[in-house]
Amino acid sequence: HRLPIRPKHLRHRISDPECSTAPVAHSHYVGVLLLDSGKFANDPPGVMTHVRELLSKTGATVQSDRVWLDGKLAYPIDGRRRGVHFPVYFQGDGHANTEIARQVRLSDLVLRHIVIRHPEVMWDRLVAAITASEEAEAPKATAKTTEATAKTTEATAKTTEATTSVP
């Protein structure tokens, strides 16, 4: 039996025994995923974990990620009018884009995505900026929550005073 003739662009993969064992250089990538806003609102940690697992299945190493924007879309995508933008900074091999695109098509949480190879020159600064902004936002959110709780407690105390002082 004769084997079918392979196209030229596939021949080197079959005939080169070192091709499958040769190390592939890891590149830096920035990916922005547009997530289903309704599913994200119901379970934010679960959706974020799903996205991280999706990337780790492809062999990517996530350096930093965050929820960026939850807003109205310019046009409906799969019948949804709102979406959450989720930027992710990660490292992966040269085949990362192809494998991530395949995993995203299988996911029902991701509406759209874009992955861009990023030059290494500014990589550390970008990751540090994302991480620093996450850390800076956390105390602000906690302070706002504490302030709102204090105002609510104060208003409740005043209402209770006014109610108990009336004969």
Side-chain angles (χ1 to χ4, degrees):
H1 295 198
R2 281 189 72 158
L3 294 174
I5 297 175
R6 303 265 183 198
K8 283 186 177 181
H9 69 281
L10 293 177
R11 286 183 193 168
H12 72 280
R13 293 183 188 165
I14 297 167
S15 61
D16 187 6
E18 294 181 8
C19 186
S20 61
T21 59
V24 179
H26 281 266
S27 298
H28 302 284
Y29 293 95
V30 178
V32 178
L33 305 169
L34 180 62
L35 307 174
D36 183 355
S37 184
K39 291 180 182 177
F40 184 82
N42 290 334
D43 185 21
V47 171
M48 292 171 68
T49 302
H50 174 76
V51 170
R52 290 181 189 122
E53 287 174 357
L54 183 137
L55 290 171
S56 64
K57 282 181 193 176
T58 65
T61 305
V62 176
Q63 299 295 320
S64 183
D65 60 11
R66 69 180 282 201
V67 176
W68 179 39
L69 177 67
D70 180 5
K72 188 175 179 183
L73 301 175
Y75 56 90
I77 299 174
D78 296 335
R80 294 169 182 92
R81 297 194 174 275
R82 298 185 63 80
V84 175
H85 293 81
F86 190 73
V88 182
Y89 293 84
F90 63 94
Q91 290 178 309
D93 65 11
H95 306 292
N97 254 345
T98 307
E99 185 61 24
I100 289 170
R102 190 181 75 76
Q103 290 290 332
V104 164
R105 280 193 300 271
L106 297 173
S107 174
D108 60 338
L109 297 175
V110 182
L111 303 175
R112 294 281 192 273
H113 79 287
I114 186 168
V115 177
I116 301 169
R117 195 172 100 202
H118 197 279
E120 194 172 343
V121 177
M122 295 290 290
W123 179 257
D124 293 330
R125 290 182 184 171
L126 281 172
V127 171
I130 290 292
T131 306
S133 66
E134 286 176 355
E135 292 170 359
E137 287 177 6
K140 288 179 185 177
T142 306
K144 287 180 182 178
T145 304
T146 307
E147 186 179 312
T149 305
K151 286 181 180 179
T152 304
T153 307
E154 188 178 309
T156 305
K158 286 181 181 179
T159 306
T160 307
E161 262 181 44
T163 312
T164 55
S165 65
V166 177

